[in-house]
Each structure stands twice: as C-alpha cells, then as structure tokens.
Amino acid sequence: MGQCHCHKKRKDSQELTDVERAIEIVINNFHRYAVKGRKECLTPNELRELVVQQLPHLSQHVCSLDEKIECLGDPDEAKLEFGEYWAIIGEAAKGCRVKK
Amino acid sequence: MGQCHCHKKRKDSQELTDVERAIEIVINNFHRYAVKGRKECLTPNELRELVVQQLPHLSQHVCSLDEKIECLGDPDEAKLEFGEYWAIIGEAAKGCRVKK
C-alpha cells in the first residue's frame, strides 16, 4: 500500500501544525474502527460504535443519527467510505459551532 | 449569539474525548481566519492564508487548490461557509490517507 508524505511525517510530528495533527487524529479514528471487512470502510455498526464512544458530546448535533445509520444498509455489511465519515463529523461540527 | 453545549464544554475540556478536542481545533481554526466581513464565513484570501499557514503538508493533497480558490469568486468578498471549509479539509485528508 502506498503511504503518502503525511504518513511518513507522522514519526516526526513536530513538523505538523496543531491543525494538521488534529486532522490526523480524526483520520486515525476512522481507521481504528474500520476493522471489519474492507479496512478502508466503516460498517454502520462500526460507525455507531465510533460515535457513541468517541463523539459523545458531538453526537447530539447529528440530527437523527440512528435513522441515518439505519439508512446506510446492512449494519455489518454496508460500507461507509472515508468521505461519508468526514461529512457526518462535519455535520456534527457545524451543529456544534453555532446553535441553530 | 447562542452558544451550544460544546462551546460551554470548552472550559472543561477534560470531558471531551481526544477526537472531539481535535474536531474543536479544526473548528477554531476556521474562526481564527474568518475575521473579514461576516464572521461565519471565510473569504477566498482568508482560506488561502489558512491553508498556507496551517496546512502546509496537507495542502499538496488538495488538487489545484489555487484554481479552486480562484473559482470561489472575489478574493476579498466571496463568502465560504463552514461546510465548504470542512469539505476542502476532508478532501485533503482523503488524499493524505492513501496515496492514489
């Protein structure tokens, strides 16, 4: 698997900015839970676990997260790509930023 | 302005998980650069500054960032909302995750 420049930099994280390190944490969190099936994807159940364990304060800002997860398909088979994970977190972050 | 639960939690960030703290850093970064015009938006020039200063390693993964920024409109007048900022960072993160 081709590792990119950013991954190589991880060993020397002094070079990364605070924001880059923060982004790396959010990326690593995806990989930490994406263990079943294809490693590049989360199943709906893995996503649910991730949100409950890692985003307890933010999850309240994701409208009807349970409904969303149910719509993703088979809880153990459906595949959620990184971009979808990122979008869900973005929605939580947006809700968190300013109360509507 | 209505501050949400998450913002109140900032004073007691022990309660936030590492991932939540990381997300907060990315959110705060938006506000740090969104100083001109409406505070809830970045101008294209502010975005460019943010990327150059805060995302030096990730910016190489955003395809033709300069072109993208030019397409956003007037460099000092166009308004980029939080969701667009989040999507641009997500694209960089995706590029960083696995080399295509």
Side-chain angles (χ1 to χ4, degrees), chain A:
Chain A
M1 193 174 98
Q3 293 293 305
C4 77
H5 189 56
C6 288
H7 275 138
K8 282 181 192 152
K9 288 276 174 190
R10 285 175 63 186
K11 282 176 189 164
D12 187 5
S13 59
Q14 302 307 95
E15 291 185 32
L16 296 183
T17 66
D18 286 350
V19 183
E20 287 176 327
R21 266 194 294 271
I23 293 168
E24 197 177 50
I25 288 170
V26 183
I27 295 173
N28 290 346
N29 190 47
F30 175 85
H31 291 293
R32 192 174 151 197
Y33 284 83
V35 290
K36 241 190 136 161
R38 280 197 293 149
K39 279 238 169 198
E40 294 305 313
C41 294
L42 285 174
T43 65
N45 274 345
E46 285 171 338
L47 174 65
R48 197 191 300 269
E49 208 179 321
L50 181 160
V51 169
V52 168
Q53 293 176 0
Q54 304 301 327
L55 307 173
H57 303 97
L58 267 78
S59 61
Q60 60 184 301
H61 299 290
V62 183
C63 303
S64 340
L65 182 66
D66 275 339
E67 275 177 38
K68 259 190 223 305
I69 291 178
E70 270 174 35
C71 291
L72 294 172
D74 186 311
D76 285 315
E77 294 299 330
K79 309 290 187 195
L80 201 80
E81 294 192 349
F82 181 78
E84 296 168 271
Y85 158 76
W86 188 264
I88 286 171
I89 293 197
E91 200 173 323
K94 208 152 99 180
C96 181
R97 209 168 49 87
V98 182
K99 200 177 184 177
K100 280 177 188 160

Side-chain angles (χ1 to χ4, degrees), chain B residues 3-45:
Chain B
Q3 293 291 307
C4 79
H5 189 58
C6 287
H7 276 138
K8 283 181 192 152
K9 287 277 175 192
R10 285 175 62 186
K11 282 176 187 163
D12 187 5
S13 60
Q14 302 308 96
E15 291 185 31
L16 296 182
T17 67
D18 286 351
V19 183
E20 287 175 326
R21 266 193 294 271
I23 294 167
E24 197 177 50
I25 288 171
V26 183
I27 295 173
N28 289 346
N29 191 47
F30 175 85
H31 291 293
R32 189 174 153 198
Y33 284 84
V35 289
K36 240 187 138 165
R38 279 198 293 147
K39 279 236 167 197
E40 293 306 311
C41 295
L42 284 173
T43 66
N45 273 346

Side-chain angles (χ1 to χ4, degrees), chain B residues 63-81:
Chain B
C63 303
S64 338
L65 182 66
D66 274 339
E67 275 178 38
K68 259 190 222 303
I69 291 178
E70 271 174 34
C71 291
L72 294 173
D74 186 310
D76 286 314
E77 295 298 331
K79 309 289 186 195
L80 201 79
E81 293 193 349

Side-chain angles (χ1 to χ4, degrees), chain B residues 49-64:
Chain B
E49 210 179 321
L50 181 160
V51 169
V52 169
Q53 294 176 1
Q54 303 300 327
L55 307 173
H57 302 98
L58 268 78
S59 61
Q60 60 185 301
H61 300 290
V62 182
C63 303
S64 338

